[in-house]
Amino acid sequence: MSRLDDNWRASSGPARLRPHGNLFALRAAVVVAFLILGAQLFRMQVVDGEEYARRSRENHITQTTSLAPRGLIVDRNGVPLVRNTSVYVATVLPELLPESEQERYQIYLRLEKLVGVPALEIQAQVKEREAAKQGFIEIEFKKRLDKEQALRLAEAVVDIPGVGMAVRPGREYIATEFSHILGYVGKLDAAEYAALRKEEYAFDEVIGKAGIEARYEKDLRGERGVTSAEQDAQGRLIEAFDSTDAVPGNSVRLALDAGLQSYVSELLTDSLKALGNDELNGDARVAAAVVMDARTGAVLAIVSVPSYDNNIWSAGEARAAELQGLLDDEAGSPLLNKALSNAAPGSTFKLVTAAAALETGRITPATTRNVTSAKLELKGEDGQPFYLDDWRAHGLVDLYRGIAWSSNIYFFQASCGILGESRGLGKNTYDSATILAYYARQFGFDSPTGIDIGGEESGLIPDPAWKARVHKDGTPGDRDWYYGDTCNMGIGQGDVTATPLQVARMTAAVANGGKLLTPHVAAEIVGPDGKIVRKIEPEWKQVPVDPKYLADIRRGMHESVLDGAGALGAVPGIDVAGKTGTAQFIDYKSGDTFEHAWFTGFAPFDNPEIVVTVYFDRGVGGSKAAPVAARIIQYYWENVR
């Protein structure tokens, strides 16, 4: 065989080209690696498995919500009426507590010493939360820590699993005279959370509960910030994830003037005591006043006396007894806004009666009545005499003097008519009442005004249909509408009720030529950058009364202040027009009869800017309410205008 053949054979077959030594080393390395990996897995799962499981259980992914700073509420000049504060709360997260009930209870006992909450109370809260399968939701077991408690807890929480201290945004209200306007904030209750959850409210978020805080909740709230992180059982940060900063809420600038509001509050409080001919009524217990722009409906002041401190709602148990005292005060009812509460409007309602009588043609400004006595004797259908009362013998009065001196008999003639002499507004007493009720409702009575602080009562305008409905289970005599019902209605008595705000709104419509304005306390919404987000524009509807008749009514109001029953409403240098009201009512507890005192007016007479309505639950309108209204108008002229 040749050498060539040997070479050919030597090179034939791929096996001769493989690196046998290297392949063996690779196989050995792979085997060793798998042995090491298996040993490590065995150690982690079997030898140290319980330890790793414990660490996994104790590490916790948290999503922390940072509530946005709530927008401020300021007066027309930018004076703050609320402050944002920090409130320290003690918290416990059930799912991070030790599993041992004994260890847990030792934590509760320690917390009892630190912040004063009984251990059993904390235990009960935790069990309740876990029973609801909500162990992942933090419990605020102490809502308002004082400084000493906060310092003690801050030092201790690093060693107590599941326990923490959080800082919540708080709200402080600066002055009590704004309480009924501003309202207050509080934590969401279960029903509110269920309703607002879709709007991304957190379970621990505060929400406006009343007043401006509630009405402008969406503006004031802002947008929450969110931070995701991994923590261990002691709450120590392991790793931080994504975060979104909170966006502060918008602020609400009010039309209200803080100085005017404070002045009116102090003035009403000082004027409760009976003076002069008010002594028969005794001291007033409550009072209210409304100052409103007659052109726009912007409310410059709205005061209710007595008032209260609306910080009480956030104080919890610390002021629980004080809150109960406010709830028990039936005479003063300080939690109730008297400017939005019902009372008999008395002779202020005669402005509506005048408008209805003029518009229907029942009277003209020249229609007269000679009121020779304070009692007008009439005979009923049964032939028995009864009397229509006036407060004095006025002599000959036309519409202007009838308004100026508030003659009851003149307005009986205009509304229910004088039996045997003249008919009323309609062809019979039923029609007369129905017509008067229609015009009263056109002036905004019998329904809420729509003011943006809520909580208002609707008042009541009775009519035959209403009486039949509410007395449907009574006797026919209870259900029937009588001549006297229409007469009482014509002078704002009987079942007629209205709020001071409704009376002010009606007065503004008379003053401005027939625009029934929707009152509003807020003026504009302002963003965190100081730019105006939106303005609160005036809203109104036209009253169906000829402006010339409203001018006639204004003239009568002017004469009232110049030389009539409202003379004490005059202000030197300012031309004021107004109408007094003195409404009788029965105190159902004592059975005694007292009088409400009213004055409602506007200024200046020839170009009305503001309406002022004043109410006291006891007193005579011309002597008690009118001089207070005069001082309010003067303050406005000198300090606000």
Side-chain angles (χ1 to χ4, degrees), residues 206-246:
V206 297
I207 186 173
K209 297 282 189 176
I212 291 293
E213 293 279 24
R215 174 63 178 79
Y216 294 97
E217 164 66 22
K218 290 184 178 180
D219 294 293
L220 291 164
R221 179 190 176 211
E223 298 177 17
R224 291 181 297 146
V226 180
T227 301
S228 298
E230 184 179 8
Q231 295 179 342
D232 63 16
Q234 279 70 43
R236 291 187 291 258
L237 178 67
I238 296 174
E239 183 179 359
F241 304 132
D242 296 335
S243 65
T244 303
D245 293 336

Side-chain angles (χ1 to χ4, degrees), residues 498-546:
T499 70
L501 182 61
Q502 287 175 323
V503 173
R505 187 188 189 202
M506 174 271 293
T507 306
V510 171
N512 65 33
K515 290 183 178 180
L516 186 67
L517 297 157
T518 299
H520 58 93
V521 173
E524 57 193 23
I525 309 302
V526 182
D529 58 359
K531 294 181 180 179
I532 296 174
V533 176
R534 74 176 187 278
K535 292 186 176 182
I536 311 301
E537 300 294 342
E539 296 180 7
W540 57 275
K541 63 179 182 179
Q542 190 69 30
V543 173
V545 176
D546 194 312

Side-chain angles (χ1 to χ4, degrees), residues 361-410:
R362 173 63 190 87
I363 64 170
T364 72
T367 300
T368 60
R369 178 82 193 182
N370 192 11
V371 183
T372 58
S373 170
K375 285 188 178 294
L376 178 62
E377 182 178 330
L378 300 174
K379 287 188 178 181
E381 294 178 358
D382 59 0
Q384 295 298 314
F386 68 93
Y387 298 91
L388 296 179
D389 293 331
D390 212 324
W391 66 281
R392 75 170 202 169
H394 298 281
L396 187 66
V397 294
D398 58 9
L399 173 68
Y400 307 126
R401 304 312 288 169
I403 292 174
W405 285 101
S406 198
S407 170
N408 288 345
I409 291 176
Y410 186 90

Side-chain angles (χ1 to χ4, degrees), residues 257-280:
D257 185 278
L260 178 63
Q261 179 80 8
S262 298
Y263 174 79
V264 174
S265 177
E266 184 177 350
L267 179 60
L268 290 180
T269 302
D270 292 344
S271 302
L272 291 173
K273 188 171 179 58
L275 297 172
N277 64 346
D278 285 334
E279 290 179 355
L280 294 175

Side-chain angles (χ1 to χ4, degrees), residues 83-227:
R83 275 192 291 262
N84 287 329
T85 60
S86 296
V87 178
Y88 294 93
V89 299
T91 66
V92 60
L93 189 60
E95 70 176 6
L96 290 185
L97 290 170
E99 292 185 2
S100 165
E101 193 60 41
Q102 184 176 359
E103 290 181 48
R104 287 185 172 198
Y105 198 71
Q106 290 302 313
I107 290 174
Y108 304 152
L109 288 172
R110 188 174 176 187
L111 292 174
E112 181 176 338
K113 293 180 180 179
L114 287 169
V115 298
V117 179
L120 289 173
E121 184 178 321
I122 302 173
Q123 183 183 54
Q125 291 185 54
V126 171
K127 287 185 175 181
E128 181 181 356
R129 186 63 56 86
E130 289 184 326
K133 301 189 182 303
Q134 295 178 336
F136 59 91
I137 298 178
E138 201 171 57
I139 298 169
E140 294 182 0
F141 65 92
K142 177 76 171 180
K143 297 185 184 297
R144 297 182 76 86
L145 299 172
D146 60 35
K147 184 177 180 181
E148 187 177 335
Q149 290 171 334
L151 290 172
R152 286 201 304 264
L153 187 61
E155 293 178 357
V157 291
V158 294
D159 299 322
I160 310 177
V163 175
M165 186 176 71
V167 182
R168 306 289 188 220
R171 199 75 153 167
E172 182 182 356
Y173 301 99
I174 295 172
T176 60
E177 58 264 30
F178 301 96
S179 293
H180 295 105
I181 301 165
L182 302 179
Y184 62 97
V185 296
K187 279 191 65 174
L188 289 165
D189 58 32
E192 289 169 333
Y193 179 55
L196 294 171
R197 194 172 181 179
K198 292 181 180 178
E199 298 183 31
E200 297 186 350
Y201 274 81
F203 68 92
D204 61 347
E205 197 160 346
V206 297
I207 186 173
K209 297 282 189 176
I212 291 293
E213 293 279 24
R215 174 63 178 79
Y216 294 97
E217 164 66 22
K218 290 184 178 180
D219 294 293
L220 291 164
R221 179 190 176 211
E223 298 177 17
R224 291 181 297 146
V226 180
T227 301

Side-chain angles (χ1 to χ4, degrees), residues 241-420:
F241 304 132
D242 296 335
S243 65
T244 303
D245 293 336
V247 179
N250 295 325
S251 293
V252 179
R253 185 187 297 274
L254 305 183
L256 216 71
D257 185 278
L260 178 63
Q261 179 80 8
S262 298
Y263 174 79
V264 174
S265 177
E266 184 177 350
L267 179 60
L268 290 180
T269 302
D270 292 344
S271 302
L272 291 173
K273 188 171 179 58
L275 297 172
N277 64 346
D278 285 334
E279 290 179 355
L280 294 175
N281 286 293
D283 294 346
R285 299 167 299 177
V286 305
V290 177
V291 183
M292 188 168 76
D293 191 315
R295 302 157 297 186
T296 67
V299 176
L300 306 177
I302 181 166
V303 177
S304 177
V305 170
S307 188
Y308 72 101
D309 179 7
N310 51 348
N311 292 299
I312 198 170
W313 299 108
S314 62
E317 288 298 319
R319 298 179 68 178
E322 183 182 349
L323 177 58
Q324 189 59 51
L326 295 173
L327 293 169
D328 293 341
D329 184 358
E330 294 183 7
S333 301
L335 298 178
L336 193 64
N337 189 342
K338 315 308 181 304
L340 307 181
S341 301
N342 295 336
S347 294
T348 62
F349 189 81
K350 290 173 182 174
L351 303 179
V352 174
T353 302
L358 289 166
E359 185 66 25
T360 59
R362 173 63 190 87
I363 64 170
T364 72
T367 300
T368 60
R369 178 82 193 182
N370 192 11
V371 183
T372 58
S373 170
K375 285 188 178 294
L376 178 62
E377 182 178 330
L378 300 174
K379 287 188 178 181
E381 294 178 358
D382 59 0
Q384 295 298 314
F386 68 93
Y387 298 91
L388 296 179
D389 293 331
D390 212 324
W391 66 281
R392 75 170 202 169
H394 298 281
L396 187 66
V397 294
D398 58 9
L399 173 68
Y400 307 126
R401 304 312 288 169
I403 292 174
W405 285 101
S406 198
S407 170
N408 288 345
I409 291 176
Y410 186 90
F411 282 96
F412 291 145
Q413 176 177 287
S415 57
C416 58
I418 304 299
L419 288 179

